[in-house]
Amino acid sequence: MEKGRITMTSLQVDKHDRNEAAGSAASTDEGYQRGLGARQIQMIAIGGAIGTGLFLGAGKAISKAGPSLILAYAIAGLVIFFIMRALGELLMYRPVSGSFSEYAREFVGPFAGFVTGWTYWLFWVVTGITEVTAAATYMTYWWNIPQWLSALVFTIILYGANLISVKLFGELEFWFSMVKVTAIIGMILICAGVLTLGFSDAGDTASVTHLWSDGGFFPKGIGGTLMTLQIVMFAFLAVELVGVTAGESKDPEKTLPKAINTVPWRIAVFYVGALIMILSVVPWTHFQPGISPFVAAFEQMGLGVGAAIVNFVVLTAALSSCNSGMYSTGRMLRDLALNGQGPKAFTKLTKSGTPLAGTTFSAALMLVGVWINYQWPGDAFNYVVSFATISGMWAWIMILVCQIRYRAKADRGEVPQSTFRAPGAPYTSWFALLFICMVIVMMGIDKDARISLYCAPLWGLILGVSYVVLRRRNPQGAAFIKR
């Protein structure tokens, strides 16, 4: 259709395409049980933003940026809010379990849906491998248990929980998230007590002046702060998981907007608030890469029990991530299969409404990956693990692109308006896209982070060849006809 020219034929085609998209949406989440209530959705949303990136990774970021890391988390948190509101607008337009890949397929094209679905699946498989491996390592803090045995037991338990029902998955995630939230709130309250009452070994030196007196707020310069952005954004990966739950939420029109609107205060409390408190009690120069800032703060205060507490919290964070991985990979594989972009075996559901084949396949790969990691913990495996960062951000990019295209079509009356419009869009979405692009550039500059980009071209080549093969086998398939 030429620009500025609308014909009767084009309107009929567009109407047919919208009807086809609606039909696809209906079939995509058919068979799922809406077993996730408001309580579980809220905690999934909260827990998705809190992980090992905060409990462990923040130590490295503090050593690189000092107190200015607080500003980095605040700005990145604002970008995450823009991403989540963009996702929320799409979810209220069409709440489907396929989420990102479904929207990419509708608003960008079939190849975009194919790439997004398989990339997000790979992201969670790789993340699941690293997290279950980490969980097994954390267990050795208390008991001398072989790591392979702990990894096997954790994988089997989480696999079984995901197959029983979506409600059990939600309940596990609720309690995993509760542990993380309780730990951070407890840490904030303890630090507040140290600052106001002066108890503990750090009471005499604790002061908010630590935020600017030890080399200034930007002790490593603006450049040092910018170079931590990839660490900061990595910490927020999985916040978009709430979108995958759309097809199984009991009341998505109410629960999902409420969960998404909690993003600002979640980031303000759990990231900005926690860092302000920790860096006020302990000077930033005391933190080192590889050491949890929570552990360092507890030690500075003379509370030796802190190490055991943080180890337990990080263990739950790792299990939470692996649990989420098993949940999302099964749904993504089923969405791809329903659209002819994956094996048909992945379309089958159990009587309880869980995707058996997709979840089993993903869990099996996680176990194989754990074994490979134990046998050959070399650079090749580290490259694949690092790819999790860029693959996770790809989902954010597609959310923003789809929201921009959806808003343009909705404003023209070609698709229904969402009941949860993103404020400031499309300008906020463009800002978020530019910010993500800047982070990717920073990753390319940083020698420690650029390995995240090495696997992307290879993965893109594999997906491109696979897509061409699938399209040649089924050239008239609905998944390969641009909507």
Side-chain angles (χ1 to χ4, degrees):
M1 184 173 63
E2 296 178 2
K3 184 177 180 180
R5 180 183 176 189
I6 302 177
T7 65
M8 183 61 68
T9 301
S10 65
L11 287 172
Q12 289 171 343
V13 170
D14 187 61
K15 181 179 179 181
H16 170 73
D17 289 345
R18 294 200 303 271
N19 290 338
E20 182 184 63
S24 174
S27 64
T28 299
D29 65 350
E30 182 181 358
Y32 286 127
Q33 297 181 2
R34 294 192 178 274
L36 296 176
R39 173 178 63 92
Q40 294 163 326
I41 293 294
Q42 286 286 349
M43 291 306 292
I44 289 172
I46 293 173
I50 306 172
T52 53
L54 173 62
F55 290 110
L56 290 177
K60 180 179 180 180
I62 292 173
S63 67
K64 284 190 172 185
S68 65
L69 181 66
I70 297 170
L71 180 62
Y73 271 114
I75 295 175
L78 179 65
V79 172
I80 293 297
F81 178 62
F82 291 156
I83 294 172
M84 292 303 293
R85 282 304 301 258
L87 175 60
E89 182 167 341
L90 292 168
L91 288 172
M92 291 304 97
Y93 154 68
R94 196 158 67 92
V96 290
S97 59
S99 194
F100 327 122
S101 60
E102 273 291 303
Y103 301 134
R105 194 174 293 116
E106 179 178 356
F107 295 108
V108 182
F111 181 63
F114 178 81
V115 171
T116 302
W118 281 107
T119 300
Y120 197 65
W121 168 82
L122 179 66
F123 161 69
W124 274 114
V125 168
V126 172
T127 300
I129 292 171
T130 58
E131 296 292 12
V132 78
T133 303
T137 303
Y138 301 146
M139 288 295 292
T140 61
Y141 179 86
W142 295 291
W143 300 288
N144 187 22
I145 301 174
Q147 290 189 11
W148 68 266
L149 181 60
S150 296
L152 177 63
V153 171
F154 286 143
T155 304
I156 291 175
I157 291 174
L158 296 178
Y159 168 71
N162 270 270
L163 288 187
I164 292 174
S165 70
V166 66
K167 185 176 181 180
L168 182 56
F169 155 78
E171 202 62 28
L172 276 176
E173 205 56 33
F174 174 86
W175 290 108
F176 283 149
S177 298
M178 184 65 75
V179 170
K180 294 185 286 186
V181 169
T182 303
I184 295 177
I185 292 177
M187 185 67 186
I188 291 174
L189 292 176
I190 291 173
C191 289
V194 172
L195 287 170
T196 56
L197 302 177
F199 70 86
S200 86
D201 293 348
D204 295 335
T205 58
S207 172
V208 292
T209 59
H210 287 313
L211 298 178
W212 59 82
S213 61
D214 300 301
F217 189 69
F218 294 92
K220 298 296 183 72
I222 300 295
T225 306
L226 291 175
M227 295 306 290
T228 64
L229 287 178
Q230 66 269 16
I231 301 175
V232 171
M233 294 300 280
F234 176 78
F236 288 127
L237 289 176
V239 69
E240 75 290 332
L241 179 67
V242 69
V244 183
T245 68
E248 294 170 277
S249 303
K250 288 183 178 179
D251 191 0
E253 289 78 11
K254 292 183 179 180
T255 58
L256 294 178
K258 286 183 180 179
I260 290 171
N261 279 333
T262 63
V263 169
W265 72 260
R266 276 187 274 147
I267 293 172
V269 173
F270 299 128
Y271 281 89
V272 177
L275 284 175
I276 288 175
M277 288 298 179
I278 289 176
L279 292 175
S280 295
V281 172
V282 183
W284 72 271
T285 52
H286 286 58
F287 296 99
Q288 300 176 9
I291 299 177
S292 169
F294 289 80
V295 171
F298 274 122
E299 290 178 346
Q300 186 74 10
M301 290 184 285
L303 303 175
V305 71
I309 293 175
V310 172
N311 191 74
F312 175 71
V313 173
V314 174
L315 172 64
T316 60
L319 293 177
S320 171
S321 183
C322 188
N323 188 42
S324 298
M326 287 193 184
Y327 171 84
S328 59
T329 51
R331 273 70 184 174
M332 278 295 164
L333 288 180
R334 183 169 187 255
D335 174 73
L336 288 162
L338 285 170
N339 284 277
Q341 296 182 339
K344 290 183 179 179
F346 293 149
T347 62
K348 297 179 180 180
L349 295 175
T350 64
K351 291 182 179 179
S352 60
T354 58
L356 173 61
T359 304
T360 302
F361 178 68
S362 301
L365 284 182
M366 289 180 189
L367 280 178
V368 171
V370 170
W371 178 75
I372 293 174
N373 190 23
Y374 289 150
Q375 294 296 321
W376 301 287
D379 292 338
F381 185 83
N382 291 334
Y383 283 2
V384 176
V385 170
S386 299
F387 179 64
T389 304
I390 193 67
S391 60
M393 286 198 292
W394 174 260
W396 294 346
I397 291 172
M398 291 312 302
I399 288 170
L400 294 167
V401 171
C402 290
Q403 189 274 335
I404 291 171
R405 294 201 169 191
Y406 160 74
R407 176 65 72 87
K409 296 186 75 171
D411 290 343
R412 293 195 299 266
E414 298 175 11
V415 294
Q417 288 282 359
S418 173
T419 57
F420 189 55
R421 289 168 63 90
Y427 305 108
T428 50
S429 296
W430 280 113
F431 173 78
L433 275 175
L434 291 174
F435 185 87
I436 293 174
C437 290
M438 181 183 70
V439 172
I440 294 174
V441 171
M442 294 293 107
M443 292 170 64
I445 295 174
D446 189 346
K447 61 181 178 62
D448 295 329
R450 68 170 64 112
I451 60 173
S452 300
L453 306 177
Y454 290 165
C455 293
L458 177 60
W459 178 243
L461 178 62
I462 293 172
L463 289 179
V465 172
S466 301
Y467 183 80
V468 170
V469 172
L470 285 173
R471 187 162 189 172
R472 287 183 176 178
R473 287 184 178 180
N474 187 22
Q476 300 302 319
F480 304 106
I481 300 175
K482 185 172 177 62
R483 292 171 180 168

